[in-house]
Amino acid sequence: MLRRAITLLTVVLLSLGYLYQPSTAQSIEKFEDKVTEFTLDNGLTFIVIERPVAPVVSFATYVNVGGANEPVGHTGMAHIFEHMAFKGTHTVGTSNWQKEEDVLEEMDNTYQKWLAEKYEPQPDSARMDNLWSKFKKLQEEAGQYVVNNEFSQIIDRNGGTGMNASTSQDRTNYFYNLPENRMELWFSLESDRFKNPVFREFYKEKEVVREERRMRTESQPIGRLIEEFAAVAYTAHPYGRPTIGWNSDITATTREDARKFYNTYYVPSNITFAIAGDVKAERAKELAKKYFGDMESASNPPPVYTKEPEQRGERRFTIKGESQPFFIMGYHTVSQEHPDFQALQLLGSILSGGRTSKLYKRMVDEEKTALQVSAFNGYPGTKYKTLFATLAIPNQNVGVDTMETTILEEIEKVKQGEISQQALDRARTNARASLLRSLDSNSGLASSLASAEALRGDWKKVFTDLEKLQQVTVDDIQRVAKKYLTKDNRTVGAIVPKSDDEEVADASQ
């Protein structure tokens, strides 16, 4: 227990920029003194980490909504709205909001009519053409009022850096850094964009998202493989749907749909802000009340009710194309809050984490059958029951069947107890080092603590997870391998090159 406490304390102190000295060891409570958490009356949660090592402040906004929360028929919605958050507000990004708003409303109504006609059993092509022509004219008219990139330019002019956002199956987050004397600017801009969203250039951004899909999924063999893998592994749970969205769903989503999505999920009780750096908690609390206090509270968003049923047998799929071979295999496991999660995490590291790991040493180093191999728990998300996945790229003239055979042999060895304490200790060391790297900056601290608070209900879990890792034994690794990595619980997929006969047949069509 003492060793675990010291390990945890070391991580905490290093993350705050202190040097750990045995004679001046500080307690976990001392770290908690540097963190102030408060919730406004409307439900907005703030975490403030005082770390005055430089006159810079990092800001992270986590919204507890991702691809898993999207309505059926509107996959990609969370990602589309991530784009919208940079398009400005009633006052930022527009030269005349009143006129722009009227045009945007008419444009959306026109698009909805075009969409309804498109999905009629026998669509009227002439009417579709007229509606589309009207839509394009309105889109051009709306563009006359747009002040491009004004939101980001304001941040740039004030010394901001690192502005970006991302969307996953579990969450949507926004982040950037500002000089400490520009902290109030963040409160002003962030409150404005969440209180006054305008969904400006919505349909243009949909095409940006569609292009992302083409680049990341449709034009990338590995992207197609992973998308198909999730769709086969999950038959019911929304983890089986792509975060980027299906192409037809991107087309079918309207600006009004985005407004409904925002009103449902972008509510105060579903948003967490973290602020780390040269900041005083009392000042942050004053600004939070000033700028966010009038944001209206709302009902909690609906939970994800769908549960993935137990898999009753192995599932397999093959994608044929003009590509080098790829192999993927996965097993249904548990969410991040389950007691077995840490053991599965360490199992992934033992199998493929570094040059001394089982799979890397055998497949890449010794037998040279694979160019790359990895094993990890937590795809495509961790909020709900997830997958333990293995991914391998065969070397030249090596088939995917060799990848499968070798990986299964190494998994079987783990089940039989061929795990050394040294390998487990090494995996734990790697996990601790990974956490340390994620916490060695203001932005890392803000993102990690905001994520834990938003998705798991307690920012302290960033650190208590380390204690759980320390408690995992060799027997635990063997037990979870036997329990979850079974044939009936397995999904196997591969990309294989087309045969010469298939290529000739395609050319003749």
Side-chain angles (χ1 to χ4, degrees):
M1 289 295 294
L2 178 60
R3 186 171 61 216
R4 290 199 299 270
I6 291 174
T7 299
L8 176 58
L9 180 58
T10 302
V11 171
V12 170
L13 296 178
L14 285 173
S15 72
L16 288 176
Y18 293 104
L19 291 176
Y20 177 69
Q21 300 284 347
S23 60
T24 59
Q26 300 184 43
S27 65
I28 301 302
E29 289 74 18
K30 187 65 175 179
F31 169 72
E32 291 178 339
D33 289 343
K34 301 295 181 182
V35 178
T36 300
E37 180 182 358
F38 60 89
T39 302
L40 301 183
D41 292 340
N42 56 20
L44 280 171
T45 297
F46 288 81
I47 301 170
V48 182
I49 307 110
E50 297 184 32
R51 188 173 183 263
V53 296
V56 179
V57 183
S58 294
F59 304 91
T61 299
Y62 269 69
V63 188
N64 193 4
V65 59
N69 304 97
E70 293 162 344
V72 174
H74 295 297
T75 56
M77 176 74 79
H79 183 221
I80 292 172
F81 190 79
E82 172 209 313
H83 285 236
M84 289 293 95
F86 294 96
K87 290 297 180 178
T89 65
H90 299 169
T91 56
V92 176
T94 184
S95 60
N96 190 324
W97 169 240
Q98 286 74 27
K99 291 184 177 180
E100 183 187 10
E101 183 179 27
D102 291 340
V103 178
L104 290 175
E105 292 297 330
E106 186 179 359
M107 183 175 70
D108 196 46
N109 289 335
T110 303
Y111 188 87
Q112 290 181 44
K113 292 176 182 178
W114 173 84
L115 194 63
E117 188 63 42
K118 176 180 174 67
Y119 287 99
E120 283 288 327
Q122 294 182 323
D124 184 333
S125 58
R127 184 168 188 266
M128 283 184 64
D129 289 344
N130 289 334
L131 287 168
W132 189 254
S133 178
K134 181 181 178 181
F135 167 78
K136 296 299 289 185
K137 289 179 181 178
L138 289 167
Q139 191 175 51
E140 185 176 347
E141 183 181 350
Q144 296 176 5
Y145 303 108
V146 175
V147 181
N148 288 315
N149 303 316
E150 186 173 21
F151 184 90
S152 59
Q153 288 172 2
I154 292 172
I155 295 171
D156 290 343
R157 286 198 302 268
N158 285 273
T161 59
M163 187 182 72
N164 213 330
S166 67
T167 307
S168 74
Q169 287 284 4
D170 294 338
R171 52 94 185 115
T172 308
N173 62 304
Y174 309 86
F175 45 88
Y176 56 94
N177 312 302
L178 282 169
E180 58 86 18
N181 60 358
R182 293 292 187 271
M183 184 171 69
E184 187 166 2
L185 175 66
W186 177 85
F187 278 94
S188 175
L189 290 173
E190 202 74 354
S191 62
D192 191 25
R193 70 168 167 174
F194 287 115
K195 290 191 295 186
N196 302 303
V198 295
F199 311 102
R200 180 174 290 125
E201 297 187 311
F202 178 78
Y203 294 99
K204 286 188 176 181
E205 284 304 309
K206 283 210 308 177
E207 295 311 308
V208 174
V209 170
R210 200 190 306 276
E211 181 60 25
E212 285 186 34
R213 175 177 173 78
R214 282 193 287 265
M215 292 175 59
R216 298 178 182 179
T217 302
E218 296 168 5
S219 300
Q220 296 290 334
I222 190 69
R224 296 197 302 272
L225 177 68
I226 291 174
E227 183 174 88
E228 189 78 10
F229 171 64
V232 174
Y234 288 96
T235 60
H237 195 273
Y239 269 177
R241 307 180 314 207
T243 303
I244 193 70
W246 298 116
N247 221 327
S248 57
D249 286 358
I250 295 172
T251 298
T253 298
T254 68
R255 186 169 173 268
E256 181 58 29
D257 293 325
R259 195 198 316 271
K260 291 177 182 177
F261 183 81
Y262 171 82
N263 290 337
T264 301
Y265 293 100
Y266 276 72
V267 297
S269 61
N270 214 37
I271 302 174
T272 299
F273 301 107
I275 305 168
D278 192 2
V279 54
K280 295 295 184 183
E282 284 305 311
R283 177 58 175 160
K285 188 179 294 188
E286 291 173 6
L287 294 173
K289 292 178 180 178
K290 176 181 177 180
Y291 287 97
F292 286 99
D294 62 347
M295 189 173 179
E296 294 184 5
S297 58
S299 301
N300 292 331
V304 174
Y305 293 106
T306 304
K307 306 289 185 183
E308 181 67 21
E310 182 180 355
Q311 189 167 317
R312 298 182 181 90
E314 184 183 61
R315 299 170 186 166
R316 287 181 172 267
F317 70 93
T318 302
I319 299 174
K320 294 184 178 181
E322 297 178 2
S323 165
Q324 70 181 94
F326 290 89
F327 174 80
I328 193 167
M329 180 167 63
Y331 303 83
H332 290 279
T333 60
V334 296
S335 72
Q336 194 166 14
E337 299 306 311
H338 193 280
D340 287 343
F341 187 86
Q342 278 71 33
L344 287 160
Q345 178 186 351
L346 291 173
L347 171 58
S349 183
I350 289 169
L351 286 173
S352 71
R355 294 179 177 275
T356 58
S357 62
K358 287 178 171 291
L359 293 177
Y360 186 96
K361 186 176 181 180
R362 177 177 173 183
M363 299 173 71
V364 180
D365 191 19
E366 295 176 354
E367 298 179 358
K368 303 189 186 309
T369 54
L371 294 172
Q372 294 180 29
V373 61
S374 61
F376 50 93
N377 191 53
Y379 177 81
T382 58
K383 190 192 299 185
Y384 308 103
K385 288 185 177 181
T386 188
L387 295 170
F388 183 97
T390 57
L391 179 66
I393 305 175
N395 218 329
Q396 190 172 9
N397 300 321
V398 178
V400 295
D401 54 340
T402 300
M403 302 293 96
E404 180 176 2
T405 299
T406 306
I407 292 170
L408 289 177
E409 286 177 357
E410 291 303 316
I411 289 174
E412 186 60 31
K413 290 178 183 178
V414 172
K415 291 180 181 180
Q416 296 304 318
E418 291 188 28
I419 320 156
S420 68
Q421 184 64 46
Q422 182 183 20
L424 175 57
D425 291 341
R426 186 163 50 240
R428 268 200 289 255
T429 298
N430 291 338
R432 288 197 300 269
S434 178
L435 177 61
L436 279 171
R437 286 193 296 270
S438 73
L439 299 175
D440 66 357
S441 65
N442 290 337
S443 57
L445 271 173
S447 293
S448 296
L449 269 62
S451 175
E453 182 69 30
L455 306 186
R456 306 176 63 195
D458 188 353
W459 60 264
K460 299 181 187 70
K461 289 184 178 180
V462 170
F463 305 110
T464 56
D465 281 350
L466 271 179
E467 291 189 84
K468 293 179 181 178
L469 287 173
Q470 286 297 116
Q471 295 167 3
V472 174
T473 66
V474 168
D475 289 341
D476 289 328
I477 302 295
Q478 182 182 14
R479 175 181 58 79
V480 296
K482 287 181 176 180
K483 181 176 181 179
Y484 299 105
L485 276 55
T486 64
K487 182 176 181 180
D488 286 347
N489 191 34
R490 186 162 69 212
T491 299
V492 182
I495 294 181
V496 298
K498 287 184 178 180
S499 66
D500 292 341
D501 291 343
E502 289 171 321
E503 290 178 359
V504 170
D506 287 346
S508 65
Q509 292 178 357

